[in-house]
Amino acid sequence: MDFSWDDLKLFLAVARLGGLSAATDTTGLSAATLGRRVSTLERQIGERLFVRSQSGYRLTQAGEDLLARAEDVEAAMLSLRRWKEGTFGERAVRVSAGAWTSAFLARHVQQLWQVEDRFGLELVTGNQKVDIGRRNADLGLRNQRPTEQWLAGRLIGTVAYAIYSGRQLINGVKAGYFVGIAGESGHTRSARWLEARHGDRIAVRGNDPMSVRELVAHGAGMSVFPCFVGDSDPQLVRIAAPISELETEQWLVSHHEERHDPAVRAVSQRIAALIQNQRALFNGTASS
C-alpha cells in the first residue's frame, strides 16, 4: 500500500485539531473535501481512524497507531526540507533529563543553542530513563554510570538534596508538615526518602515536581529538592544541611556511534561546561 504524504498531512491536521471544521484553516480545504480525503484514507487502510460525533473527531486505536507513524514521517520530511533549505541542518539533538534538570537546561538555553547552529534542540523530559540505545534521545543526563555496552558516559558533577520550606512560617510549615509527591513522580529516590523518614508528617501532596514546589513556596509544608533548584528559587529557603545519603552523581550519556556526530558533540560539550560552571549550585555549596 502506497501512502500519499499529502493525505497524511491532512490526517495529522484533523487528528490534532479534533475535527474537520477546525482543520479547514490550516489545510486550506473545505470540510467536505477533508471528509472525503479522510474516508479515502480509511478505505485504503481498511479501518476506521476516527469516531465521528457532533463534538468532533476522536481517534480510534487504529487512528492513534497511524498518528504515531505519521508523526515519524512528518519529522523525516521536515528534516529533508530543512536540509534542502539550509536552515537548521539535518537534525535536532534530543536531550533527555528529569523535570528539574530539563527546566535548568531550558533556563540556560542560550548557552546550549544559538540560531546560527546547523541543528535544532529538543528537550525530552521524564522521570523514567529514556532509551538512548533505540535513539529515543541523543544525550541523557542520569544519576548513575551507564551499564549498557553501547552507551558512553561522562561524569560531569554531583547533585545534592536538602529540605526546603517557603519563606513564611505559615500553615503547614509552621506546623512542621511536609509536602509529598504522588503518582509516577513519587518513584524517585528523594520522594522515597521523604516517605520513609517523614511519611507520617505528609499532609499535602502534588503529582509533579512543579506543583510540589508551588505548594512548599506558599506554605503547605516542607519538602526535599535538589539544591540547584531550592538554592536558586527566591521563594524557598534551605532549612537543613544537604542530605548525604541522597547525593547522586551526574552522568552525561550518549550512544557510542552518535557521540562523535558534530551536533551531538557540540551540545554535549556545552551541557558539560554549563553544569561544571554551576557545580557549586549543584553540589549544594553555592550558599555556603
Short mmCIF file of all heavy atoms in Angstrom, two decimals, residues 100 107 164-168 170-171 173 179-181 204-225 229-230 233-236:
data_model
loop_
_atom_site.label_atom_id
_atom_site.label_comp_id
_atom_site.label_asym_id
_atom_site.label_seq_id
_atom_site.Cartn_x
_atom_site.Cartn_y
_atom_site.Cartn_z
N TRP A 100 13.46 18.59 36.78
CA TRP A 100 14.24 19.71 37.30
C TRP A 100 15.41 20.04 36.39
O TRP A 100 15.70 21.21 36.12
CB TRP A 100 14.75 19.39 38.69
CG TRP A 100 13.71 19.28 39.76
CD1 TRP A 100 13.52 18.25 40.62
CD2 TRP A 100 12.71 20.26 40.10
NE1 TRP A 100 12.48 18.52 41.48
CE2 TRP A 100 11.96 19.75 41.17
CE3 TRP A 100 12.38 21.52 39.58
CZ2 TRP A 100 10.90 20.45 41.75
CZ3 TRP A 100 11.31 22.22 40.15
CH2 TRP A 100 10.59 21.67 41.22
N ARG A 107 16.31 27.14 31.13
CA ARG A 107 16.65 28.50 31.57
C ARG A 107 18.00 28.96 31.02
O ARG A 107 18.26 30.15 30.95
CB ARG A 107 16.68 28.56 33.11
CG ARG A 107 15.32 28.50 33.75
CD ARG A 107 15.38 28.95 35.21
NE ARG A 107 16.24 28.09 36.00
CZ ARG A 107 15.84 26.97 36.60
NH1 ARG A 107 14.58 26.57 36.45
NH2 ARG A 107 16.67 26.25 37.32
N TYR A 164 13.64 22.03 52.13
CA TYR A 164 13.33 23.45 51.95
C TYR A 164 11.91 23.74 52.41
O TYR A 164 11.05 22.86 52.42
CB TYR A 164 13.45 23.83 50.46
CG TYR A 164 14.86 23.79 49.94
CD1 TYR A 164 15.44 22.59 49.52
CD2 TYR A 164 15.65 24.95 49.87
CE1 TYR A 164 16.74 22.55 49.05
CE2 TYR A 164 16.95 24.91 49.39
CZ TYR A 164 17.49 23.71 48.99
OH TYR A 164 18.78 23.66 48.52
N SER A 165 11.71 25.00 52.77
CA SER A 165 10.37 25.47 53.09
C SER A 165 10.14 26.78 52.36
O SER A 165 11.05 27.32 51.73
CB SER A 165 10.21 25.70 54.60
OG SER A 165 10.88 26.88 55.01
N GLY A 166 8.90 27.29 52.45
CA GLY A 166 8.65 28.64 51.97
C GLY A 166 9.26 29.64 52.94
O GLY A 166 9.69 29.29 54.04
N ARG A 167 9.29 30.89 52.56
CA ARG A 167 9.96 31.89 53.39
C ARG A 167 9.10 32.37 54.54
O ARG A 167 9.61 33.00 55.47
CB ARG A 167 10.41 33.07 52.52
CG ARG A 167 11.54 32.68 51.58
CD ARG A 167 12.28 33.86 51.00
NE ARG A 167 13.49 33.42 50.34
CZ ARG A 167 14.66 33.24 50.91
NH1 ARG A 167 14.79 33.47 52.20
NH2 ARG A 167 15.71 32.83 50.22
N GLN A 168 7.83 32.07 54.50
CA GLN A 168 6.95 32.48 55.60
C GLN A 168 6.56 31.26 56.43
O GLN A 168 6.15 30.23 55.88
CB GLN A 168 5.69 33.16 55.07
CG GLN A 168 5.96 34.52 54.42
CD GLN A 168 4.67 35.17 53.98
OE1 GLN A 168 3.88 34.59 53.23
NE2 GLN A 168 4.44 36.38 54.46
N ILE A 170 4.14 29.76 57.89
CA ILE A 170 2.68 29.76 57.97
C ILE A 170 2.16 28.35 57.70
O ILE A 170 2.85 27.49 57.18
CB ILE A 170 2.05 30.74 56.97
CG1 ILE A 170 2.50 30.39 55.52
CG2 ILE A 170 2.43 32.18 57.30
CD1 ILE A 170 1.83 31.22 54.45
N ASN A 171 0.91 28.14 58.06
CA ASN A 171 0.16 26.95 57.70
C ASN A 171 0.95 25.67 57.98
O ASN A 171 1.40 25.44 59.09
CB ASN A 171 -0.25 27.04 56.22
CG ASN A 171 -1.46 26.17 55.92
OD1 ASN A 171 -2.02 25.54 56.80
ND2 ASN A 171 -1.83 26.13 54.67
N VAL A 173 3.96 24.70 57.12
CA VAL A 173 5.35 24.90 57.51
C VAL A 173 5.44 25.13 59.01
O VAL A 173 6.25 24.51 59.72
CB VAL A 173 5.96 26.10 56.75
CG1 VAL A 173 7.37 26.37 57.24
CG2 VAL A 173 5.97 25.83 55.24
N VAL A 179 5.30 18.24 52.37
CA VAL A 179 4.58 18.07 51.10
C VAL A 179 5.19 16.88 50.37
O VAL A 179 6.40 16.86 50.10
CB VAL A 179 4.66 19.33 50.22
CG1 VAL A 179 3.96 19.09 48.88
CG2 VAL A 179 4.05 20.52 50.94
N GLY A 180 4.39 15.88 50.06
CA GLY A 180 4.87 14.69 49.38
C GLY A 180 4.58 14.71 47.90
O GLY A 180 3.95 15.63 47.38
N ILE A 181 5.04 13.67 47.22
CA ILE A 181 4.84 13.55 45.78
C ILE A 181 4.06 12.28 45.50
O ILE A 181 4.42 11.20 45.97
CB ILE A 181 6.18 13.52 45.02
CG1 ILE A 181 7.01 14.75 45.38
CG2 ILE A 181 5.93 13.49 43.51
CD1 ILE A 181 8.34 14.81 44.67
N VAL A 204 0.00 17.12 52.59
CA VAL A 204 -0.41 17.57 51.26
C VAL A 204 0.52 16.93 50.24
O VAL A 204 1.71 16.74 50.51
CB VAL A 204 -0.34 19.11 51.14
CG1 VAL A 204 -0.75 19.58 49.75
CG2 VAL A 204 -1.22 19.78 52.20
N ARG A 205 0.00 16.60 49.07
CA ARG A 205 0.82 16.03 48.01
C ARG A 205 0.52 16.70 46.68
O ARG A 205 -0.56 17.22 46.44
CB ARG A 205 0.55 14.52 47.85
CG ARG A 205 0.89 13.68 49.08
CD ARG A 205 0.52 12.21 48.85
NE ARG A 205 0.63 11.45 50.09
CZ ARG A 205 1.74 10.85 50.51
NH1 ARG A 205 2.83 10.93 49.77
NH2 ARG A 205 1.76 10.18 51.65
N GLY A 206 1.52 16.66 45.82
CA GLY A 206 1.35 17.05 44.43
C GLY A 206 1.83 15.90 43.56
O GLY A 206 2.63 15.09 44.01
N ASN A 207 1.35 15.81 42.32
CA ASN A 207 1.76 14.67 41.50
C ASN A 207 2.80 15.02 40.44
O ASN A 207 3.08 14.24 39.55
CB ASN A 207 0.56 13.99 40.84
CG ASN A 207 -0.09 14.87 39.79
OD1 ASN A 207 0.26 16.03 39.61
ND2 ASN A 207 -1.05 14.30 39.08
N ASP A 208 3.38 16.23 40.56
CA ASP A 208 4.50 16.57 39.69
C ASP A 208 5.41 17.54 40.45
O ASP A 208 4.96 18.24 41.37
CB ASP A 208 4.02 17.20 38.38
CG ASP A 208 3.45 18.58 38.58
OD1 ASP A 208 2.25 18.69 38.93
OD2 ASP A 208 4.20 19.56 38.42
N PRO A 209 6.70 17.59 40.10
CA PRO A 209 7.65 18.40 40.88
C PRO A 209 7.28 19.88 40.95
O PRO A 209 7.47 20.52 42.00
CB PRO A 209 8.97 18.19 40.13
CG PRO A 209 8.82 16.87 39.46
CD PRO A 209 7.38 16.80 39.06
N MET A 210 6.77 20.43 39.86
CA MET A 210 6.48 21.87 39.84
C MET A 210 5.35 22.22 40.81
O MET A 210 5.40 23.25 41.50
CB MET A 210 6.12 22.34 38.42
CG MET A 210 7.15 21.98 37.37
SD MET A 210 8.83 22.50 37.80
CE MET A 210 9.76 21.72 36.47
N SER A 211 4.33 21.37 40.90
CA SER A 211 3.24 21.67 41.83
C SER A 211 3.71 21.54 43.28
O SER A 211 3.28 22.29 44.15
CB SER A 211 2.04 20.77 41.57
OG SER A 211 2.34 19.41 41.82
N VAL A 212 4.62 20.59 43.53
CA VAL A 212 5.17 20.46 44.88
C VAL A 212 5.93 21.72 45.26
O VAL A 212 5.81 22.23 46.38
CB VAL A 212 6.09 19.21 44.98
CG1 VAL A 212 6.82 19.19 46.31
CG2 VAL A 212 5.27 17.95 44.82
N ARG A 213 6.72 22.24 44.33
CA ARG A 213 7.45 23.48 44.62
C ARG A 213 6.49 24.63 44.94
O ARG A 213 6.73 25.40 45.88
CB ARG A 213 8.34 23.87 43.44
CG ARG A 213 9.10 25.18 43.69
CD ARG A 213 10.08 25.49 42.58
NE ARG A 213 9.40 25.64 41.29
CZ ARG A 213 10.07 25.87 40.15
NH1 ARG A 213 11.39 25.93 40.14
NH2 ARG A 213 9.41 26.01 39.02
N GLU A 214 5.41 24.75 44.20
CA GLU A 214 4.45 25.82 44.46
C GLU A 214 3.78 25.63 45.82
O GLU A 214 3.57 26.60 46.56
CB GLU A 214 3.40 25.87 43.35
CG GLU A 214 3.92 26.37 42.01
CD GLU A 214 4.51 27.77 42.13
OE1 GLU A 214 3.81 28.67 42.64
OE2 GLU A 214 5.68 27.96 41.72
N LEU A 215 3.46 24.40 46.16
CA LEU A 215 2.84 24.12 47.47
C LEU A 215 3.78 24.51 48.60
O LEU A 215 3.37 25.12 49.59
CB LEU A 215 2.47 22.64 47.56
CG LEU A 215 1.26 22.19 46.74
CD1 LEU A 215 1.22 20.67 46.64
CD2 LEU A 215 -0.03 22.73 47.35
N VAL A 216 5.04 24.14 48.47
CA VAL A 216 6.02 24.49 49.51
C VAL A 216 6.21 25.99 49.59
O VAL A 216 6.22 26.58 50.68
CB VAL A 216 7.36 23.78 49.24
CG1 VAL A 216 8.44 24.27 50.21
CG2 VAL A 216 7.20 22.27 49.36
N ALA A 217 6.35 26.63 48.45
CA ALA A 217 6.59 28.08 48.43
C ALA A 217 5.46 28.85 49.08
O ALA A 217 5.68 29.92 49.66
CB ALA A 217 6.78 28.55 46.98
N HIS A 218 4.24 28.30 49.03
CA HIS A 218 3.09 29.02 49.56
C HIS A 218 2.60 28.48 50.90
O HIS A 218 1.46 28.70 51.30
CB HIS A 218 1.97 29.04 48.53
CG HIS A 218 2.30 29.88 47.33
ND1 HIS A 218 2.97 29.39 46.23
CD2 HIS A 218 2.13 31.21 47.09
CE1 HIS A 218 3.15 30.36 45.36
NE2 HIS A 218 2.66 31.47 45.85
N GLY A 219 3.48 27.74 51.60
CA GLY A 219 3.22 27.44 52.99
C GLY A 219 2.55 26.13 53.31
O GLY A 219 2.17 25.91 54.46
N ALA A 220 2.40 25.22 52.33
CA ALA A 220 1.73 23.97 52.62
C ALA A 220 2.58 23.03 53.48
O ALA A 220 2.06 22.12 54.11
CB ALA A 220 1.34 23.26 51.32
N GLY A 221 3.89 23.23 53.48
CA GLY A 221 4.77 22.38 54.26
C GLY A 221 6.18 22.41 53.68
O GLY A 221 6.49 23.22 52.81
N MET A 222 7.02 21.51 54.17
CA MET A 222 8.40 21.41 53.70
C MET A 222 8.53 20.25 52.73
O MET A 222 7.68 19.36 52.70
CB MET A 222 9.34 21.19 54.89
CG MET A 222 9.29 22.29 55.93
SD MET A 222 10.13 21.81 57.48
CE MET A 222 8.91 20.70 58.21
N SER A 223 9.60 20.22 51.95
CA SER A 223 9.85 19.09 51.08
C SER A 223 11.32 19.05 50.69
O SER A 223 12.09 19.96 51.02
CB SER A 223 8.97 19.15 49.82
OG SER A 223 8.91 17.88 49.20
N VAL A 224 11.69 17.99 49.99
CA VAL A 224 13.08 17.80 49.55
C VAL A 224 13.21 18.22 48.08
O VAL A 224 12.40 17.79 47.24
CB VAL A 224 13.50 16.33 49.71
CG1 VAL A 224 14.90 16.11 49.13
CG2 VAL A 224 13.45 15.92 51.17
N PHE A 225 14.22 19.03 47.80
CA PHE A 225 14.51 19.44 46.43
C PHE A 225 16.00 19.32 46.16
O PHE A 225 16.81 19.40 47.10
CB PHE A 225 14.10 20.90 46.19
CG PHE A 225 12.62 21.16 46.34
CD1 PHE A 225 12.14 21.87 47.44
CD2 PHE A 225 11.72 20.72 45.40
CE1 PHE A 225 10.79 22.12 47.58
CE2 PHE A 225 10.36 20.96 45.53
CZ PHE A 225 9.90 21.67 46.63
N VAL A 229 17.88 23.48 42.55
CA VAL A 229 16.51 24.01 42.44
C VAL A 229 16.21 24.93 43.61
O VAL A 229 15.84 26.09 43.44
CB VAL A 229 15.48 22.85 42.39
CG1 VAL A 229 14.06 23.40 42.44
CG2 VAL A 229 15.70 22.00 41.15
N GLY A 230 16.37 24.41 44.83
CA GLY A 230 15.98 25.17 46.02
C GLY A 230 16.82 26.41 46.24
O GLY A 230 16.29 27.48 46.59
N ASP A 233 15.88 29.37 43.91
CA ASP A 233 14.49 29.84 43.92
C ASP A 233 14.30 30.82 45.06
O ASP A 233 14.39 30.44 46.23
CB ASP A 233 13.55 28.64 44.08
CG ASP A 233 12.10 29.02 43.85
OD1 ASP A 233 11.72 30.18 44.10
OD2 ASP A 233 11.32 28.13 43.44
N PRO A 234 14.00 32.09 44.78
CA PRO A 234 13.85 33.09 45.85
C PRO A 234 12.65 32.83 46.75
O PRO A 234 12.56 33.41 47.83
CB PRO A 234 13.68 34.41 45.07
CG PRO A 234 13.19 34.01 43.72
CD PRO A 234 13.83 32.69 43.44
N GLN A 235 11.75 31.94 46.34
CA GLN A 235 10.58 31.63 47.18
C GLN A 235 10.90 30.57 48.24
O GLN A 235 10.09 30.36 49.15
CB GLN A 235 9.43 31.11 46.31
CG GLN A 235 8.92 32.09 45.27
CD GLN A 235 7.78 31.48 44.49
OE1 GLN A 235 6.61 31.74 44.75
NE2 GLN A 235 8.11 30.62 43.53
N LEU A 236 12.05 29.91 48.11
CA LEU A 236 12.37 28.80 49.00
C LEU A 236 13.58 29.13 49.87
O LEU A 236 14.43 29.94 49.50
CB LEU A 236 12.68 27.53 48.19
CG LEU A 236 11.59 27.02 47.25
CD1 LEU A 236 12.08 25.79 46.50
CD2 LEU A 236 10.30 26.71 48.02
#
